[in-house]
Amino acid sequence: MRFMLFVFASIGFAAAGAAIAVARSRLLSDGERDYGLGAVAALFLLFGSLCTMAASGLFGVLGFGGVVVWAAYLITGQRLGLFSIETRPGPPPELEPNEYTRPM
């Protein structure tokens, strides 16, 4: 039962994070607030919170829900073009000395 509650909670939290990203995208592109999408995000957040509260309590909502909402917001925001997450290329790998690369 707890597993199913966490599955439903993760769907609700992910939908809330995606809805927040879409609402922010619409705010930046159109200049208008989308109150309907904000209400949808709040309902998904409430649904996910209730499922998580039933399964694990308040700290589960903060720990599990916060991470899922944040990850969904980041993934959706990057796909919508709100921001870009990039990494620097690492240093070139150094060759380990072996029988072919040892100086003679």
Side-chain angles (χ1 to χ4, degrees):
M1 186 68 178
R2 283 187 179 182
F3 176 74
M4 289 307 297
L5 284 171
F6 276 122
V7 168
F8 290 136
S10 65
I11 292 169
F13 285 135
I20 292 169
V22 171
R24 183 167 180 244
S25 173
R26 288 186 182 173
L27 176 66
L28 294 176
S29 65
D30 299 339
E32 296 179 3
R33 294 194 187 275
D34 191 355
Y35 295 110
L37 198 54
V40 168
L43 287 175
F44 279 130
L45 195 62
L46 178 67
F47 174 75
S49 297
L50 290 175
C51 288
T52 307
M53 283 288 283
S56 67
L58 178 63
F59 290 117
V61 173
L62 299 174
F64 179 71
V67 171
V68 174
V69 169
W70 172 74
Y73 174 78
L74 285 180
I75 292 168
T76 307
Q78 186 173 8
R79 302 264 304 187
L80 290 173
L82 289 175
F83 46 81
S84 175
I85 300 173
E86 299 175 5
T87 60
R88 292 186 311 180
E94 297 179 12
L95 295 176
E96 294 181 17
N98 59 29
E99 61 188 65
Y100 299 111
T101 60
R102 271 191 220 138
M104 297 217 175

